[in-house]
Amino acid sequence: MHRVDVIHPDQEAGSGGAFLFARDWLLSQFDRPELASDGFWFESYDDPRFGPTIVIIGGPAAMQGILLNGSLIPLASGPDTLCVLRPDWDQIEKRLYGFASDFGMPPAVTRLVVALFQSGDVREAASRSGLAYETAREYLDVARGLVGAANLQNLITLLGLGIASTGSNAEESDALLAYAYGVSERQTQIAGLIANGAARQEVARMLSVSDALVKKELAQVFAAVDVENAAGLARAMVELRLLAIATNLHDARDPFPEAFHQDMVVTARDGRLIMASDYGPRSGKPVLVLHSSMTNRPANRALVEALQNNGYRPVAMDRPGFGDTHAAPEACRGQAYFDLAARDIADLCQARGWPSVRVVSRGAAQVVLALHRQHADLIDAAVIMNPDPDARSSSKSTGFLAAMKRNFARRPWAVAVMSHWAVQSLTFARVRANVMRSVAGCPADAQIMADPAHMRDYYRGVTAFRDGKLDGFIREQTALATVGMPPPLRGTTGVTLLVGDQDSIHDPHETVRYWRKVLPDAQIETVSGAGRFMSYSHPELVVKALARRAVLPRRDQGPRPPSPQMDTL
């Protein structure tokens, strides 16, 4: 996403990367006082095609020290040269077209969206695209709907960060705004929230300041960055965030450790490896904790501690293709994938010598159903938080996650490409921003996820996606988009479904009606003041629901499969 050009004082326009830079601009860089101090500085130049562009300039040694990928620096750099780190606009333009196409944008909308990203201004984008202003506004509404963007600045931010690629050490940060333009910490916070799509009044509420103060601070940011509106600010913030991803100039990162546990490795009956985390204590009653379709096995500390404090031994496992569990065979799709996930549970239980377990599931209702059909005798009781209906049965369409799920239902073949875009820049800052925006309408979730410890817990559960481990996510989302409503299942009196009344992805009333049809014998409860993060905000309620459920009816399941092998790391 970036390249480094080498410049020197005697270089003429048209040689190397210098053709981009005016001669006077180029010469002025060699007189900067920062050469004798930090060794690098922020600057901007007017790109012939993309307009004002933010860059980092410095001597080769200084740039080598701040770049995460030092190989970007050409071998031609020497003691009398400077290095210019800038966006690779040609590559970015290609990725923008790919992003828009994969999200189903028509060609005319795609051209307009790319022009908006380039210019940061609707009128300029309309002119570049040969469209009337009002037509451009209509096309941009289409684009916003397809990606779930709240407004134009949010659209630009999603585009910019969606096309970014992050390595394992990269982190997005808004701190570079203060680094480059000398704005205050509060102004940096305001700029980041506005770029992410928040309205001024919303920012004031989040920061506990007045709307007038936000307006004043925002005006100062606009002046410092030399932009005229929120869309232009979003474009500048994208550039700075991309520079942060390419360098180590961001704030120190937390290690995002998982709660203390022992890793377990089980060999499934088909030879694949199943990975699990055993949180202990060994004396506790085993409880299998299933992750949602949007996360991996690490269980949040609030849930782990609530279970342990009530005499349980939580054990969390990755489903096929999630985290460290080996992927399913290539032909295993749709309902067959849920069935394989259920067999993995049975293999884990047999390897551990557990004749039965209790189950706490963060979503993943289809896996619990498959387990009940195959091995009802394994389940003492089950609690499923916020069970997802199949994608076609959910009508909620607001927000990025809801928009993505709607796209999955409409275009299931595109799940893989859209998932690829979604995890391109899965940094802690980006995940935190997306989470806080998605929970804005749910006071309970907003309060609980404002706690940095909870946010770090959540981020730990998605880091495997950042490492490219997407096979299970893709198969599960595709199955949710194509399998449809499961047939009714009787004999589930030991199952409790807890539905938050402030669910930000699905309409809770629709969810309750859906699962009453599928599980007519189960206990279904609406939890007042709860949203998607129920295991964080209401862990004791989950434990109480688990304790009061009756043991499920046992059915003869025939002979057990051959005993799988289990190792403890």
Side-chain angles (χ1 to χ4, degrees):
M1 301 299 293
H2 294 85
R3 60 171 296 162
V4 173
D5 295 319
V6 176
I7 59 176
H8 57 81
D10 299 326
Q11 198 164 7
E12 296 294 334
S15 60
F19 74 94
L20 290 171
F21 313 123
R23 178 69 177 166
D24 290 346
W25 182 94
L26 185 151
L27 289 174
S28 69
Q29 304 308 314
F30 289 87
D31 296 327
R32 294 289 293 255
E34 292 91 345
L35 268 174
S37 53
D38 294 338
F40 67 90
W41 57 93
F42 288 82
E43 185 58 273
S44 64
Y45 76 97
D46 194 19
D47 187 274
R49 291 169 55 210
F50 290 87
T53 299
I54 304 169
V55 297
I56 301 178
I57 306 175
M63 295 296 284
Q64 189 77 40
I66 66 173
L67 284 172
L68 291 179
N69 180 10
S71 65
L72 285 173
I73 298 179
L75 296 176
S77 60
D80 298 326
T81 64
L82 293 176
C83 296
V84 182
L85 175 67
R86 64 178 178 86
D88 188 337
W89 285 124
D90 290 334
Q91 182 185 8
I92 289 173
E93 186 175 27
K94 291 178 182 177
R95 293 177 71 86
L96 283 170
Y97 274 100
F99 180 96
S101 174
D102 288 340
F103 272 82
M105 295 185 194
V109 175
T110 296
R111 289 192 295 272
L112 176 65
V113 163
V114 173
L116 175 68
F117 185 84
Q118 293 171 345
S119 65
D121 182 80
V122 178
R123 292 190 184 278
E124 176 64 22
S127 176
R128 292 187 185 188
S129 305
L131 296 172
Y133 176 74
E134 291 302 326
T135 303
R137 299 289 303 194
E138 293 174 3
Y139 282 10
L140 290 174
D141 284 343
V142 172
R144 290 196 303 107
L146 288 171
V147 300
N151 45 37
L152 290 180
Q153 59 265 33
N154 188 216
L155 174 62
I156 292 171
T157 297
L158 290 175
L159 286 168
L161 277 301
I163 64 172
S165 298
T166 58
S168 59
N169 295 322
E171 263 303 326
E172 175 194 342
S173 173
D174 290 341
L176 268 63
L177 177 66
Y179 217 130
Y181 295 100
V183 300
S184 69
E185 181 177 349
R186 184 165 63 193
Q187 288 169 345
T188 299
Q189 287 181 300
I190 290 171
L193 292 169
I194 291 291
N196 289 340
R200 251 197 0 243
Q201 296 80 359
E202 187 180 354
V203 173
R205 186 169 61 252
M206 294 172 71
L207 300 183
S208 300
V209 298
S210 69
D211 181 41
L213 179 60
V214 172
K215 182 178 180 180
K216 176 184 175 182
E217 298 274 48
L218 190 58
Q220 293 178 5
V221 172
F222 282 0
V225 185
D226 194 21
V227 296
E228 297 180 354
N229 52 44
L233 176 62
R235 155 70 191 273
M237 292 299 291
V238 164
E239 291 186 57
L240 291 166
R241 288 164 173 173
L242 291 176
L243 287 170
I245 286 171
T247 67
N248 58 19
L249 295 176
H250 47 73
D251 301 327
R253 294 178 294 119
D254 287 298
F256 313 114
E258 186 177 355
F260 180 77
H261 65 282
Q262 270 195 315
D263 285 334
M264 294 193 305
V265 185
V266 169
T267 302
R269 67 190 77 174
D270 61 3
R272 292 177 305 104
L273 294 183
I274 304 168
M275 297 296 296
S277 297
D278 183 354
Y279 298 98
R282 292 183 180 179
S283 59
K285 298 184 290 290
V287 172
L288 190 63
V289 180
L290 302 184
H291 60 78
S292 75
S293 64
M294 307 291 286
T295 60
N296 298 278
R297 81 176 185 266
N300 57 292
R301 286 169 172 76
L303 180 62
V304 168
E305 291 175 6
L307 288 167
Q308 290 173 333
N309 292 342
N310 285 273
Y312 292 111
R313 174 187 182 179
V315 176
M317 63 183 291
D318 282 321
R319 291 195 287 281
F322 281 89
D324 297 316
T325 292
H326 286 187
E330 180 59 32
C332 185
R333 306 279 175 177
Q335 183 58 46
Y337 175 83
F338 295 132
D339 293 340
L340 178 64
R343 288 197 295 275
D344 280 0
I345 293 173
D347 287 351
L348 174 67
C349 290
Q350 188 159 353
R352 297 298 297 176
W354 297 330
S356 63
V357 293
R358 298 192 176 192
V359 177
V360 170
S361 186
R362 300 170 287 166
Q366 289 77 4
V367 178
V368 178
L369 266 63
L371 180 63
H372 187 274
R373 290 191 177 97
Q374 294 179 27
H375 297 288
D377 58 323
L378 274 179
I379 308 174
D380 279 342
V383 175
I384 308 174
M385 293 170 275
N386 290 313
D388 292 315
D390 66 272
R392 293 182 179 178
S393 298
S394 179
S395 65
K396 193 162 186 177
S397 59
T398 56
F400 181 72
L401 292 179
M404 179 177 286
K405 285 180 174 288
R406 190 175 68 252
N407 263 310
F408 289 169
R410 197 166 53 227
R411 306 163 67 231
W413 55 268
V415 169
V417 289
M418 286 191 284
S419 301
H420 169 79
W421 289 117
V423 302
Q424 282 295 301
S425 59
L426 206 63
T427 63
F428 178 70
R430 176 66 15 209
V431 170
R432 178 177 57 193
N434 286 339
V435 167
M436 295 311 295
R437 182 144 190 89
S438 72
V439 301
C442 175
D445 278 352
Q447 180 180 359
I448 203 73
M449 297 313 290
D451 185 330
H454 289 311
M455 189 64 74
R456 287 195 295 270
D457 248 6
Y458 176 76
Y459 184 69
R460 181 66 185 84
V462 302
T463 51
F465 298 145
R466 176 174 173 166
D467 295 335
K469 299 173 181 178
L470 285 170
D471 184 87
F473 173 83
I474 291 169
R475 291 187 200 234
E476 197 154 307
Q477 292 297 334
T478 304
L480 289 170
T482 57
V483 170
M485 180 182 287
L489 180 63
R490 293 286 183 178
T492 56
T493 54
V495 177
T496 298
L497 277 62
L498 302 178
V499 179
D501 69 345
Q502 299 173 14
D503 190 340
S504 56
I505 296 181
H506 304 293
D507 180 280
H509 302 292
E510 284 185 353
T511 300
V512 169
R513 289 195 297 269
Y514 181 96
W515 288 106
R516 286 201 190 283
K517 294 177 183 178
V518 177
L519 299 175
D521 299 333
Q523 178 75 21
I524 302 179
E525 303 175 13
T526 300
V527 181
S528 177
R532 296 301 292 184
F533 293 95
M534 192 184 301
S535 66
Y536 295 75
S537 61
H538 294 71
E540 293 295 339
L541 185 150
V542 175
V543 173
K544 289 178 181 178
L546 186 68
R548 68 172 178 258
R549 298 315 297 155
V551 175
L552 288 172
R554 306 224 176 224
R555 295 197 305 238
D556 182 12
Q557 298 297 318
R560 292 278 183 151
S563 179
Q565 302 171 1
M566 189 279 295
D567 301 302
T568 299
L569 295 181

